[in-house]
Amino acid sequence: MDCIFCKIIAGEIPSNKIYEDELVYAFHDIDPKAPVHFLVIPKEHIRSVLEINGTNSAVVAHIYEVIAKLVKELDVKDGYRVVTNVGEDGGQTVDHMHFHVLAKRNLAWPPG
Ligand code: 5GP
Ligand code: ZN
């Protein structure tokens, strides 16, 4: 499958990995938009949160558990943002569901 995130999980494209288990993979974004900017993705190829249903939704809960663990380890637990872009208007550029975690700068609201 021609998916860069599936290739990252498979080790075919190098990445700066933070965490991995049987369900998810976390790595630093190649083009960081904050001093801390990493992505958490399911190992299963799910195109976006629009495809979440009763069969695959457990991985989303697990992703949030992993985020809670990683923000403590990276010492950003007191302020961070989790972002999921969906579809063209939502700014999604990679069609493999991912959760951005941004921290260590003042994050504006509303986002652009
Ligand atoms: P999106 O725009 O779909 O919400 O987010 C995709 C993210 O993936 C972007 O922030 C982009 O910088 C990141 N990205 C795209 N290709 C690669 C890659 O090959 N390696 C890493 N580490 N990040 C990537
Ligand atoms: Zn994929």
Side-chain angles (χ1 to χ4, degrees), residues 4 17 40 49 53 94:
I4 52 172
K17 181 171 87 175
V40 186
V49 291
N53 56 45
V94 177

Side-chain angles (χ1 to χ4, degrees), residues 21 23 26 39 66 84 88 95 99:
D21 63 27
L23 291 175
L39 303 171
V66 167
T84 303
E88 209 179 318
D95 286 337
F99 292 76

Side-chain angles (χ1 to χ4, degrees), residues 1-7 9 41-47 94-97:
M1 190 190 298
D2 197 25
C3 168
I4 52 172
F5 286 180
C6 283
K7 287 180 180 163
I9 292 163
I41 66 178
K43 286 191 168 173
E44 181 187 352
H45 181 85
I46 299 170
R47 286 174 57 86
V94 177
D95 286 337
H96 181 128
M97 182 175 79

Side-chain angles (χ1 to χ4, degrees), residues 49-83:
V49 291
L50 187 60
E51 290 198 353
I52 292 299
N53 56 45
T55 303
N56 62 17
S57 61
V59 75
V60 178
H62 186 62
I63 283 170
Y64 272 87
E65 264 183 59
V66 167
I67 290 171
K69 168 183 148 67
L70 294 179
V71 294
K72 288 166 199 149
E73 286 177 9
L74 296 170
D75 200 22
V76 297
K77 65 177 171 43
D78 292 333
Y80 63 95
R81 184 172 293 169
V82 182
V83 176

Side-chain angles (χ1 to χ4, degrees), residues 9-53:
I9 292 163
E12 291 161 20
I13 294 175
S15 69
N16 196 345
K17 181 171 87 175
I18 305 171
Y19 175 84
E20 178 178 14
D21 63 27
E22 66 282 359
L23 291 175
V24 305
Y25 191 95
F27 56 109
H28 290 284
D29 198 291
I30 205 169
D31 181 19
K33 300 292 189 263
V36 170
H37 183 181
F38 62 90
L39 303 171
V40 186
I41 66 178
K43 286 191 168 173
E44 181 187 352
H45 181 85
I46 299 170
R47 286 174 57 86
S48 82
V49 291
L50 187 60
E51 290 198 353
I52 292 299
N53 56 45

